[in-house]
């Protein structure tokens, strides 16, 4: 654990490419001594709140201003099935095995201000796909779906090798690059004008709202928009059985620039960004906040 933290801190240096420079200004351990291992961090758009999952899959939210952790649910929430909607609410999907030994998934909404939660999509067998939106959220399923309002704004989700973009209430479906293993981790830029996702064999793809490919950023995973021009992502290697390295990188959305924010040996992963904050965890579940400065 000590070596992992040291490796992370070694990233506190300036990185340049042409006229651009990125400086890691600080790294701060979050919830040290307060929480156990934490994974799948998700920041809201202004960076004031942080969702994360415990080692056992329960979901919690941390308020930076109040320095308070609130337990949202003890039920199992899969890694990427919790997110903030554009309305500030938390949406998440729990799953349980039924008497028939099939998995059933239930959609929930949680208000971090009132700490009230409610079921928004009754238990059903089959995949339930989260869709973050500029004015709310949706949960998509072949059987039944949910939308937080009649007009959720621009939204994005993936199914197989298709990316769905909702604009003005209409769904647009694109398959801009070949991928037999499918698309993952769709994310909408803060201004709602571009979508990034991962095509399993290709890496991160950036498209506009009409499905036109704007950039191919390389073989990275779990992209999160830092602002309208940059994304953070993880870069991992493995030997077929386990990770051999993992680091956080900063990528310019047009594909012209990359900077390493942590070292490959740091085993840092699962980055999220919002409000100028970057938060990530390690293979051991150590949450860390990073602040950077970009000079162009």
């Amino acid at each position: 654990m000590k070596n992992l933290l040291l490796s992370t801190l070694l990233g506190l240096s300036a990185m340049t490419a042409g006229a651009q420079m990125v400086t890691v200004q600080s790294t701060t351990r979050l919830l040290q001594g307060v929480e156990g291992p934490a994974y799948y961090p998700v920041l809201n758009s202004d960076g004031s709140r942080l969702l994360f999952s415990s080692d056992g899959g329960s979901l919690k939210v941390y308020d930076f201003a109040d320095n308070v952790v609130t337990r949202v649910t003890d039920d199992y929430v899969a890694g990427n099935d919790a997110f903030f909607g554009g309305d500030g609410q938390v949406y998440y999907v729990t799953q349980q095995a039924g008497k028939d030994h099939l998995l059933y998934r239930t959609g929930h909404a949680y208000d971090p201000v009132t700490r009230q939660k409610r079921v928004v999509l009754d238990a059903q067998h089959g995949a339930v796909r989260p869709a973050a939106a500029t004015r709310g959220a949706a949960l998509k399923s072949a059987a039944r779906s949910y939308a937080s309002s009649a007009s959720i704004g621009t939204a994005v989700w993936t199914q197989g090798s298709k990316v769905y973009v909702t604009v003005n209430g209409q769904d647009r479906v694109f398959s801009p690059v070949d991928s037999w293993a499918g698309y993952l981790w769709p994310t909408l830029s803060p201004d709602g004008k571009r979508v990034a996702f991962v095509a399993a064999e290709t890496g991160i793809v950036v498209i506009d709202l009409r499905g036109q490919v704007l950039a191919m950023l390389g073989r990275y995973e779990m992209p999160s928009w830092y602002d309208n021009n940059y994304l953070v992502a993880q870069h991992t290697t493995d030997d077929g059985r386990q990770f051999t390295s993992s680091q956080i990188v900063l990528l310019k959305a047009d594909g012209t620039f990359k900077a390493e924010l942590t070292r490959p040996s740091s085993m840092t992963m699962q980055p999220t960004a919002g409000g100028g904050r970057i938060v990530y965890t390690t293979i051991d579940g150590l949450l860390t906040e990073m602040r950077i400065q970009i000079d162009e």
Side-chain angles (χ1 to χ4, degrees):
M1 184 181 299
K2 185 176 180 180
N3 289 337
L4 287 177
L5 288 174
L6 179 60
S7 297
T8 302
L9 291 173
L10 288 175
L12 300 178
S13 58
M15 290 148 283
T16 63
Q20 291 176 282
M21 182 170 68
V22 177
T23 303
V24 177
Q25 297 180 309
S26 65
T27 58
T28 306
R29 273 285 309 278
L30 295 177
L31 305 177
Q32 186 172 9
V34 177
E35 291 290 331
Y39 300 96
Y40 300 104
V42 180
L43 284 164
N44 63 351
S45 60
D46 65 8
S48 62
R49 293 189 174 97
L50 176 73
L51 278 174
F52 63 92
S53 296
S54 71
D55 213 9
S58 63
L59 184 66
K60 300 179 181 180
V61 61
Y62 172 60
D63 189 303
F64 284 89
D66 295 338
N67 194 29
V68 171
V69 175
T70 304
R71 187 182 300 271
V72 177
T73 181
D74 283 325
D75 294 333
Y76 179 79
V77 179
N80 295 302
D81 286 345
F83 64 102
F84 286 99
D87 53 5
Q89 302 282 298
V90 173
Y91 296 89
Y92 61 98
V93 180
T94 58
Q95 60 183 40
Q96 290 181 316
K99 293 181 179 179
D100 53 7
H101 304 294
L102 296 175
L103 280 179
Y104 288 83
R105 295 173 176 85
T106 304
H108 307 260
Y110 172 81
D111 186 333
V113 176
T114 65
R115 300 186 182 180
Q116 299 296 308
K117 55 187 175 182
R118 66 190 192 280
V119 172
V120 297
L121 192 62
D122 290 335
Q124 57 183 292
H125 176 56
V128 176
R129 297 173 178 84
T134 54
R135 292 198 296 271
L139 298 171
K140 299 291 184 176
S141 170
R144 298 184 305 278
S145 295
Y146 164 81
S148 59
S149 68
S151 179
I152 60 174
T154 304
V156 61
W157 75 98
T158 59
Q159 179 178 351
S161 296
K162 295 179 180 178
V163 57
Y164 292 76
V165 181
T166 300
V167 182
N168 297 325
Q170 300 296 314
D171 290 343
R172 303 172 180 179
V173 187
F174 309 115
S175 295
V177 296
D178 293 334
S179 178
W180 65 268
Y183 298 164
L184 300 166
W185 301 303
T187 179
L188 191 65
S189 62
D191 62 8
K193 295 181 179 180
R194 285 170 293 175
V195 171
F197 64 92
V198 171
E201 302 84 2
T202 305
I204 298 176
V205 182
V206 180
I207 63 172
D208 63 18
L209 300 186
R210 297 189 177 278
Q212 180 178 351
V213 175
L214 302 177
M216 308 279 280
L217 304 188
R219 301 196 65 155
Y220 305 99
E221 308 92 32
M222 301 192 77
S224 177
W225 291 89
Y226 175 76
D227 59 19
N228 288 317
N229 297 313
Y230 291 89
L231 301 99
V232 291
Q234 73 175 29
H235 180 219
T236 59
T237 60
D238 64 80
D239 60 10
R241 295 180 296 109
Q242 60 185 4
F243 290 123
T244 55
S245 72
S246 187
Q247 68 181 139
I248 308 302
V249 297
L250 181 75
L251 306 169
K252 196 164 187 180
D254 63 5
T256 61
F257 174 74
K258 179 192 81 170
E260 297 181 354
L261 300 181
T262 63
R263 305 301 187 194
S265 59
S266 66
M267 300 303 284
T268 48
M269 56 187 59
Q270 300 170 1
T272 179
R277 282 188 166 105
I278 299 170
V279 173
Y280 53 85
T281 191
T282 69
I283 198 167
D284 293 326
L286 306 180
L287 283 176
T288 300
E289 177 189 347
M290 175 182 283
R291 294 282 190 166
I292 64 174
Q293 179 176 319
I294 303 172
D295 295 313
E296 299 188 73

